[in-house]
Amino acid sequence: DARLVTFRIEPGQEVAAHTSPSTVFLVGVEGRGTVSGAEGPGEFGVGDVVAYEPNEIHAMKAGSERFVVLAVITPRPGSR
């Protein structure tokens, strides 16, 4: 009951701040960048994991290299 999404964010690109009705886990797969949530932005890289509560605002931004992040969204949006 989950959705997996891989974000490949090129240098200078970002995923704008948004919310989800589900819990969202982000896992750093490649490169470095910034993720931000209710507590503000933070550096994020390979192996880092962060969780966002349902309806918590979050965003991602690449640094000077490609930033690849795996998002695990559960429960799967629209499945209930």
Side-chain angles (χ1 to χ4, degrees):
D1 193 21
R3 176 180 285 168
L4 302 177
V5 180
T6 302
F7 290 91
R8 290 177 182 85
I9 309 167
E10 296 299 328
Q13 293 182 331
E14 63 184 282
V15 175
H18 62 283
T19 62
S20 171
S22 302
T23 298
V24 177
F25 297 91
L26 300 180
V27 181
V29 176
E30 178 185 328
R32 295 199 61 78
T34 303
V35 297
S36 49
E39 296 183 17
E43 290 293 314
F44 200 77
V46 176
D48 290 341
V49 178
V50 65
Y52 296 102
E53 295 292 327
N55 301 310
E56 182 178 354
I57 196 161
H58 53 282
M60 299 172 274
K61 183 175 183 177
S64 61
E65 57 189 315
R66 177 186 288 171
F67 185 37
V68 180
V69 177
L70 174 66
V72 180
I73 306 163
T74 185
R76 181 182 175 92
S79 66
R80 293 185 182 210

